[in-house]
Amino acid sequence: MPDTEWFVHDRFGLFIHWGIYALPARHEWIKNRELISDEAYQKYFDHFDPDLYNRRPGLRRPAAPA
């Protein structure tokens, strides 16, 4: 296992944005900034199912800082 002491020492954190707002794949404030109506945004609510979330396929380990 690689040495991760730098991670704790440097207080580096990683937050993965995941939720309904992630479906359009632009930014978390999409509804507000792009002035999307509730009716147009509904398709994301209809499609989003947190029980189907599987982080493994698209997640790769972040690289250590140079």
Side-chain angles (χ1 to χ4, degrees):
M1 186 152 155
D3 178 21
T4 58
E5 186 176 325
W6 65 268
F7 192 89
V8 175
H9 176 268
D10 294 342
R11 302 285 186 191
F12 178 76
L14 179 65
F15 179 81
I16 299 173
H17 292 256
W18 176 77
I20 293 170
Y21 50 80
L23 294 175
R26 288 194 290 285
H27 50 77
E28 66 196 71
W29 289 96
I30 185 169
K31 186 173 186 311
N32 180 274
R33 291 187 181 166
E34 296 184 21
L35 305 175
I36 298 175
S37 69
D38 290 341
E39 294 78 21
Y41 202 65
Q42 184 63 42
K43 66 182 176 184
Y44 301 118
F45 278 97
D46 295 342
H47 182 73
F48 183 75
D49 186 348
D51 292 335
L52 298 177
Y53 177 62
N54 181 0
R55 69 178 177 88
R56 294 279 179 204
L59 187 64
R60 60 186 170 87
R61 185 172 289 184

